[in-house]
Amino acid sequence: MRVRVATTAFGLTAVTVLALPACSADTTEAKPATASSARAGKPAEAGQNDAPLSSAALETRLLDESDLGSGYARKPGRPAQHDNVTVLGCPALNDLGADAATGGSLDFPRQAKAAFSYAGGSNSEVTEELYSDTAGKLSTATGQIFDAMTGCPEYQVLVGSTAVDMATQEMTAPRLGDERWSQLMTFSAGGRDTVVKQTAVRDGSVLVVVSGSPALVDQHLAKAHAKATAAR
């Protein structure tokens, strides 16, 4: 189901391109973005010195089936695969590296991840990723990727021999945490369109990224943020 890229760069779209071959079509259209930044809130300041959390601590703060409710099943992790990736039509993403547009994870050693499928409909999945580092590093890395992606409303990614047309639209994120970013992405390949929403919230030294079906992201973002930051 997933085409993974062998990288450690930011992977906001890992739950998307990457799931296209096995997902049913979602015909919702994403209109091209006109803004160049998806950031909201106050950028990190030098005085924000919350100590980063360990990966083990982040694991305990991930949502689980009891948090999500009935009908959800956790998906097992999948081994990484290695594919050649090329980005066409987006110089900003090229500058950051092709990996930024297609897969992997944020380049922070402290991280945890969980993915769930929902039995309530086709193409209904949600993934949560937690990262921890200094507030400044989280802010800079996340902002760079969202700015690059929403600054290119349309571009194409070649994953191996598969061409994926991509469109991004900046969205308004709920007022959570210190900073927040959100975008709606449409992935088109093989005659299928898949629409994925992705929202990131930085709260001190913790970054929460929720991706997947737009309705599920909207439904579970606040509880993901609350659980990830409950002990602060």
Side-chain angles (χ1 to χ4, degrees):
M1 179 175 182
R2 176 170 295 178
V3 179
R4 291 305 298 263
V5 180
T7 82
T8 55
F10 193 36
L12 282 181
T13 63
V15 73
T16 53
V17 165
L18 307 172
L20 272 173
C23 289
S24 60
D26 186 330
T27 57
T28 304
E29 294 185 0
K31 303 301 181 183
T34 57
S36 61
S37 175
R39 181 194 303 267
K42 186 177 181 181
E45 298 178 350
Q48 294 186 352
N49 56 0
D50 292 349
L53 300 176
S54 66
S55 295
L58 293 174
E59 285 281 353
T60 67
R61 300 180 182 215
L62 287 168
L63 295 175
D64 56 32
E65 292 89 337
S66 65
D67 299 312
L68 296 172
S70 62
Y72 288 88
R74 185 158 181 167
K75 299 176 64 179
R78 296 178 180 270
Q81 297 178 3
H82 299 259
D83 293 88
N84 295 323
V85 176
T86 303
V87 177
L88 304 175
C90 187
L93 283 174
N94 282 334
D95 290 344
L96 291 173
D99 309 334
T102 55
S105 300
L106 267 168
D107 192 14
F108 296 114
R110 303 176 183 90
Q111 59 179 271
K113 180 177 180 179
F116 302 88
S117 59
Y118 178 54
S122 62
N123 196 26
S124 294
E125 298 183 0
V126 63
T127 297
E128 180 189 12
E129 296 169 86
L130 298 181
Y131 301 94
S132 189
D133 209 311
T134 64
K137 289 182 179 179
L138 292 178
S139 176
T140 298
T142 310
Q144 283 180 337
I145 297 298
F146 270 95
D147 286 352
M149 294 186 73
T150 58
C152 293
E154 295 182 352
Y155 59 98
Q156 188 176 70
V157 175
L158 300 180
V159 183
S161 61
T162 301
V164 182
D165 293 320
M166 305 181 67
T168 61
Q169 177 186 359
E170 179 184 347
M171 304 296 287
T172 300
R175 295 184 63 83
L176 299 170
D178 300 313
E179 285 184 282
R180 60 210 73 94
W181 303 259
S182 188
Q183 61 183 345
L184 194 70
M185 299 170 287
T186 300
F187 301 84
S188 303
R192 292 181 173 182
D193 289 349
T194 297
V195 178
V196 172
K197 188 171 188 179
Q198 195 155 55
T199 302
V201 176
R202 183 188 64 80
D203 198 316
S205 61
V206 174
L207 179 71
V208 182
V209 183
V210 181
S211 310
S213 170
L216 297 186
V217 172
D218 291 343
Q219 182 178 352
H220 298 301
L221 177 66
K223 67 182 71 173
H225 170 260
K227 187 169 183 178
T229 60
R232 288 192 66 210

